[in-house]
Amino acid sequence: MKILIVGSGGREHALAWKIAQSPLVKKIFAAPGNPGIAALAECRPVPAHHLEGIRDLALAERVDLAVIGPDDCLAAGAVDLLQAAGVRAFGPTQAAARIESSKSFAKELMAEERIPTARSAAFSDFQRACDYVDSHPLPSVVKASGLALGKGAVICHSREHARQALRSMMVDKLFGQAGETVVVEEFLEGREVSIHALCDGSQAALFPPAQDHKAVSDGDQGPNTGGMGCCCPVPWVTQDMLAEIKRRIVEPVLRALARRGAPFKGCLYPGLMLTRDGFKVLEFNARFGDPETQAYMPLLESDLVEALLACAEGTLGRTGVKWGRGAAACVIAASEGYPGAYRKGLEIAGLDEAGRVPGVSVFQAGTAVDQGKLVTSGGRVLGVTGCAESLEGALESAYRAMGLITFQGMHYRRDIGRRDQRMAGDHG
Ligand SMILES: Nc1ncnc2c1ncn2[C@@H]1O[C@H](COP(=O)(O)OP(=O)(O)O)[C@@H](O)[C@H]1O
Ligand SMILES: [Mg+2]
């Protein structure tokens, strides 16, 4: 089989790494890929968002399956375009991807299906949004309805701050169209967990729970990033909780989207918060998470290609998905200044040594090759995943390998997984 992977991040490197292990696969293409992916696949210089270019590449190389990584490609209809050309694709159609690309749509659907989530209202009129904030308790959470690179949710502790957030989104159009509609919702307290479920339109196979670390610095300090690290599984999420999440959240979404003529095939990734009143949905994503995927892939026992095909074909119930028993921890190394401005083109050393640490995989994200040398080219530069019997062991390997990698200004969090140690029941 020939597989095309669309995207260029650590997520896509991890997917390529796992796909390359499948006996079903003869050749992998990536568009555009990155230097890490290039060791496993033939990279073609087609940008991920150039959908016609992606389709033409898939047709020219007669690929058997296209796997779409980025959210904006799915929201723009990459899967629809590929399917119309007769190319099998993994990922939701544009209509199904609305569960991520329109938070107001997702909120409406959750209300109709009685899926637990924060109380909210959606607005496209600035003054009405302000009036709503004024008549509801603080803090309030203001969210751009559309895709905003993970920067579109603002927790507001004063009415003035909320008004400012609304103004920047609705009037100043900080996120363009994505902020023309906003969702204002109640502030929830609790612990967050990421759930991923492979879905074939009607059935779902849940991954072990994962915990992302969004803030740039230790102790969850500093601004939010695309994600600085991830652990899997999360000790305080029990099997019973997972079964409940599947029954009360994942399956109702699949039924609701199917009923609306938009069956969801792909990876459904709800962000949840465990509150005093049980799990509530913060948002739905319609693709693999990053860095979550970098932690997941080394733990996955099943053949990923078989599972992705089953999702596309609607046969997941027969195929199933098997997970290893251990734990994985991924730590992200970022450029100096990230998530703000940063320099590029700084030489990276030590990747080979790091990759030789037992149980460790190194995935590349913001890297490039310049005159034969591997250099930085993005904010999140690479991810180091350690796998072991225990989370403690996984963290130890990941940090040992990270200690062997250097580039000027490199920084990473030293406390990944530290807040995951508490068990169900102890709050705070
Ligand atoms: N209702 C809420 N109450 C408290 N915190 C929230 C709420 N909604 C979002 N958050 C926080 O903001 C983060 C980003 O919100 P999310 O809805 O996931 O948007 P996005 O990922 O698109 O930026 C969440 O991971 C969570 O930490
Ligand atoms: Mg989120």
Side-chain angles (χ1 to χ4, degrees), residues 100 103 143 150 153 192 194 212 214 269-271 282-285 287:
E100 169 169 12
K103 285 195 192 326
K143 297 183 178 182
E192 284 188 61
S194 297
D212 188 5
K214 287 257 172 239
Y269 149 25
L282 297 175
E283 66 162 348
F284 285 106
N285 298 294
R287 33 88 196 173

Side-chain angles (χ1 to χ4, degrees), residues 185-198:
E185 70 180 27
E186 140 198 46
F187 179 78
L188 300 175
E189 275 177 287
R191 285 193 270 176
E192 284 188 61
V193 60
S194 297
I195 298 296
H196 284 60
L198 284 181

Side-chain angles (χ1 to χ4, degrees), residues 385-401:
T385 298
C387 265
E389 296 268 306
S390 68
L391 185 55
E392 224 16 75
L395 285 162
E396 201 182 287
S397 325
Y399 278 114
R400 179 142 37 98

